[in-house]
Amino acid sequence: MSQDPVTEPLAGLRAQIDEVDAQLIDLLARRLELVGQVGEVKGRHGLPIYAPDRERAMIEAKRAMAQERGVPADLVEDVLRRCMRAAYTHEKSMGFTRQQPDLGPVVVVGGGGRMGALFSRMLTLSGYEVRVVEREDAPQQVAETLAGAGMVLVSVPIHDTVDVVRSLPQLPPDCLLVDLTSTKTEVMAAMLAAHPGPVLGLHPMFGPDVDSLAKQVVAAVPGRDPQASAWLLDQIRLWGARVHEIGAEDHDALMGLIQAQRHFSTFAYGWHLAHEDHDLTELLALSSPIYRLELVMVGRLFAQDADLYYDIITASPRSVALLERYHDRFDECLDLLRRGEREEFVARFAEIGAWFGGHAERFLTESRTLLAHADSTR
């Protein structure tokens, strides 16, 4: 029987590719081992796991090396960034270090929730004694758990936070009182009234399903005695997050745009899609990578807690007024199309582009990377 002139050479080439893939896996395993050793060194010396300057320089150097070897630089960067993401979630690489050695027990109110559990885990891995109480626990049990606390971290639903803060028993004078709520003005006022000691507001700008805090953002709102909470901000930076300090009023105003308007727009767009009565499978089949990514970002909202998003959208009394302004501007833009005003549309387009400035080109470049990744996951 004659051999297939296509199958035989393909089989040989595929075997060689499999061998190269096995070598790549061995190299990736070795890389993770080295990353773990780097994490241990960083942990001993209190260095953050995320070093943006080092990462940027390393990517640039490896892109240049790839170009010299005739390998697509974007391919090498994609592989390296994926390796770094895996490294940030590799527990040995996280370099957990206790920034406040003499701190008393940390009590997480709402530690059974997902965000409370995430911070409980990070604090425990960093060497702190962590205790957990829930809203439904008996007052006597709560008081006993809070006795001698060095920090109390409140992580409960937005609509319950102020009441929970007001219901706390008297805390030790030097205890640090912290919250994780996504609105700050009312909560900060409640914490400052309830506790005469140090107070700090935190807002993690991410969900509890993250594998690592590396490259995440945490908003920090100063309350009272900032020096007493500086160690916690340093601790969060060691975990790899970027801390952005901001006042409560400014925070809440910006969250209207970053959270309330964005989530409400997604809700309205999802409602519109559902009522246009087209098959989602067909939409996906015809989707370019950018539209598929848009559908993914819309659809993921509806796999989550509706009550949470209602609370986020309505948390600030200014949100409805902001959404009304958005509605008015949407109507103005729609009116351009009704009137067939091409030139005015182009002029408005240029006006918006001028507001984005140089960021527009940078966002275009960043989006190409995101779209390439979205296309590769189909």
Side-chain angles (χ1 to χ4, degrees):
M1 178 182 292
S2 63
Q3 294 179 328
D4 188 325
V6 176
T7 302
E8 184 176 359
L10 275 180
L13 291 170
R14 286 168 176 165
Q16 292 180 62
I17 290 173
D18 289 342
E19 183 179 345
V20 172
D21 288 346
Q23 294 172 12
L24 285 173
I25 292 171
D26 288 339
L27 289 171
L28 291 173
R30 175 60 178 151
R31 192 182 195 282
L32 277 177
E33 289 176 4
L34 292 170
V35 163
Q37 293 175 30
V38 169
E40 290 174 2
V41 173
K42 286 186 172 184
R44 287 198 301 271
H45 295 279
L47 299 174
I49 64 169
Y50 173 46
D53 292 340
R54 155 69 182 166
E55 181 177 301
R56 192 178 306 110
M58 188 266 285
I59 290 292
E60 290 175 359
K62 298 306 187 295
R63 285 184 64 92
M65 187 184 299
Q67 290 171 343
E68 291 173 2
R69 295 287 300 274
V71 178
D74 288 346
L75 169 63
V76 171
E77 181 173 346
D78 286 348
V79 171
L80 288 173
R81 289 195 181 280
R82 185 64 188 87
C83 288
M84 288 185 287
R85 285 198 299 273
Y88 291 138
T89 62
H90 189 48
E91 199 164 284
K92 290 183 179 178
S93 74
M94 291 186 180
F96 291 104
T97 304
R98 180 168 172 155
Q99 284 295 104
Q100 188 73 332
D102 301 325
L103 188 75
V106 174
V107 180
V108 181
V109 182
R114 296 177 66 199
M115 187 62 76
L118 173 63
F119 272 79
S120 295
R121 173 176 171 270
M122 299 298 289
L123 289 162
T124 299
L125 287 170
S126 299
Y128 298 95
E129 178 189 345
V130 177
R131 303 172 180 175
V132 171
V133 295
E134 303 298 343
R135 288 168 290 166
E136 59 270 18
D137 290 345
Q140 181 62 30
Q141 179 184 347
V142 173
E144 291 173 358
T145 306
L146 290 174
M151 179 172 79
V152 172
L153 183 67
V154 179
S155 179
V156 297
I158 299 170
H159 59 272
D160 290 334
T161 304
V162 169
D163 288 341
V164 167
V165 167
R166 289 171 176 165
S167 70
L168 290 173
Q170 184 175 351
L171 304 178
D174 59 350
C175 177
L176 173 60
L177 178 60
V178 186
D179 84 297
L180 299 179
T181 314
S182 60
T183 58
K184 282 288 166 275
T185 305
E186 187 179 4
V187 174
M188 292 300 295
M191 290 197 295
L192 290 167
H195 177 51
V199 168
L200 174 69
L202 295 179
H203 178 194
M205 299 299 298
F206 50 86
D209 54 347
V210 297
D211 296 318
S212 163
L213 267 62
K215 301 188 180 183
Q216 301 293 344
V217 177
V218 177
V221 177
R224 181 186 296 119
D225 192 2
Q227 284 299 111
S229 59
W231 68 268
L232 178 57
L233 301 183
D234 288 340
Q235 188 74 65
I236 292 169
R237 293 186 185 100
L238 281 182
W239 294 338
R242 176 169 62 85
V243 175
H244 183 79
E245 297 193 31
I246 187 170
E249 292 278 345
D250 288 339
H251 170 276
D252 288 357
L254 290 174
M255 284 309 107
L257 292 169
I258 294 171
Q259 289 192 323
Q261 180 178 311
R262 179 167 58 89
H263 293 321
F264 181 78
S265 297
T266 301
F267 170 77
Y269 185 35
W271 192 358
H272 173 69
L273 286 175
H275 286 80
E276 284 296 291
D277 198 27
H278 290 291
D279 184 71
L280 181 56
T281 305
E282 288 295 307
L283 282 175
L284 289 170
L286 292 170
S287 294
S288 63
I290 191 168
Y291 187 62
R292 181 182 179 85
L293 184 59
E294 184 175 357
L295 282 175
V296 167
M297 296 308 295
V298 171
R300 72 187 298 273
L301 183 80
F302 301 100
Q304 300 179 71
D305 183 358
D307 286 323
L308 170 64
Y309 283 96
Y310 180 84
D311 286 345
I312 291 174
I313 293 169
T314 61
S316 170
R318 293 179 290 192
S319 292
V320 172
L322 172 66
L323 293 173
E324 287 173 344
R325 294 195 299 276
Y326 177 58
H327 179 270
D328 291 343
R329 290 177 180 126
F330 188 96
D331 275 348
E332 288 179 27
C333 294
L334 185 58
D335 190 52
L336 291 179
L337 304 184
R338 291 194 187 103
R339 293 185 281 111
E341 294 285 356
R342 175 188 293 272
E343 290 184 3
E344 188 173 351
F345 177 90
V346 171
R348 295 281 184 92
F349 198 97
E351 178 186 343
I352 299 164
W355 182 82
F356 275 97
H359 290 288
E361 287 295 331
R362 183 164 64 86
F363 292 163
L364 179 61
T365 301
E366 289 182 11
S367 66
R368 289 194 183 109
T369 302
L370 291 172
L371 292 174
H373 179 70
D375 193 34
S376 68
T377 60
R378 293 187 66 172

